[in-house]
Amino acid sequence: MADLGGSMVNSKVLRLLVLVFAMALVASACGSSGSDGDGDEGASEDVSTSEDSSEDSAEEPAAAAGGETASSEGECAEDDTILVGFQNPEGDPNGSFPEYSLAAQAATDYINTELNGLGGRCIELEVCAMAITPDDSQRCANELAAAGSEVVVSALNFFGNHFPIYQGSNIPVIVGTPITIGDFATEGVFAIGAGGGCFGVHTGMVQFATQNVPELTGNEVNRVAVPWADTPPGVVCYYDLEAKPLNVINGTVDPSSSSLAGSNPNLEHIGVPILPASADVTPQATEVLDFEPDVIIYSAQGSDCWNFVDALGRLGWTPDDTPLVLSGACTDLTAMEAAGDLAVGVYLTTTENGILNPLEGLTGQHLENATTYQTKATEYGLSDDDLNKGFAGQGFAVMMSLNEISDVIVAGGGAVDGQSLNDAYAATDGSRPSFGGSPLDCAGAPAPYVSVCSSPIAMNQWDGTKLVPLNDVGLVTGIDLVAGSDFCFDGSQGAACGS
């Protein structure tokens, strides 16, 4: 494994590397062809119902968050830059997502060249690649803080121990893919990723599997198998946001104010932990199938998802036998095509106005956002292979969010810096569209998940060649199953999430 220590990459260097990489791809493409895709941010239905108006507010940031955005066209001023730190896991088999930062760089170049940067200030993107260790998490935070970052993007982080470092330097953090308690409940942190990461996605998967799958298939769902990623955040996401919601539905969590509390006392479930990058997951697949589930839900990094699907298939499973619901992190069109019939009919989470679906049939904001991503990301250096990966879509979207929020600040008469970005994100109230997702509502985040700015998800189904939005299902939200409840994972024995 490559040594990641001190691997902070200046944007200009990374831009050169991306261009070299892109040129190599063009040269090699003459002799081969292929398609790939993925969509943690995949498309949702065409329910782009965001409104552009809001009530006036006495506070300038809040007023700006609801007002008209300033025109942001043309190239930014290179003599006025804003340093944006970007912390991302790369080069570790336990989790490596280089497409996340490559897409963020492509978005940065697009924003600087065509959208006037962040309020006229050119973005200087400083990427710190980290291994999946607590020490490296803090190393990157210390380096990015010391470099003078005015805002930091935390792509995804397994530990959450980097936030106190940024808090100590008064640096706001934008989380692209929230997966830890720190992502969900830290002051000065804004978890803008699709569905609020585990919070919206995993509870939404439970909601979809137990409430929508019976309607779609005509079969009752009384047994749910939940293989889960055996990582530090995976433990929390499973116990708090899958096991607990299922126990709310079967009535073994008391008290609960959810409208579905106790609605299916016959509901049973099993959790099966799977270590990342496991070469052979046949034992786990066997345990899942021996449970004789009515539906299976799973969230992991893409390669692990399809390794598990392959194991299920070798044991005789098909999606027609038992529906499979995967998180958008599993979306990888190349792997799905390679899986053949084993992938046909699989459900995958996505988000409103997602940017990875085919453009045909999309309208309004959804069409505009998807077209921007699918054309500008490659124009500014992202490879076709990476373009179709969900974390690439999220990397591009998080930078576009910074541009949108900066326009709001400028429209309100403010200047863009770390403090104004913090205030503008905090003031979002669901009244404005957000690139590649649902409108942000950081001000309305439910306790104790006070950092979560977006929670609805939508669903796609793979038809063998493309992702098909389940428009009839509409937006899915499962946060009612946990909102207002305490974190149940106790860090020692697993969980106090019901029986």
Side-chain angles (χ1 to χ4, degrees), residues 39 41 55 70 84 86 142 167 190 346 432 457 499:
E41 297 273 331
E55 299 298 323
V84 177
F86 199 95
N142 281 315
Q167 285 177 315
F190 304 98
V346 168
R432 301 193 60 86
I457 63 169
S499 59

Side-chain angles (χ1 to χ4, degrees), residues 3 6 13 74 80 85 96 138 145 225 236 271 299 321 407 412 429 460 479:
D3 180 10
V13 177
D80 185 12
S96 180
Q138 292 189 321
V236 176
S299 177
D321 296 332
D407 285 350
D429 60 4
N460 286 330
I479 64 172

Side-chain angles (χ1 to χ4, degrees), residues 401-425:
S401 173
L402 283 168
N403 174 257
E404 290 176 333
I405 291 293
S406 296
D407 285 350
V408 168
I409 293 168
V410 172
V416 176
D417 57 22
Q419 187 60 56
S420 64
L421 286 167
N422 180 91
D423 295 345
Y425 271 108

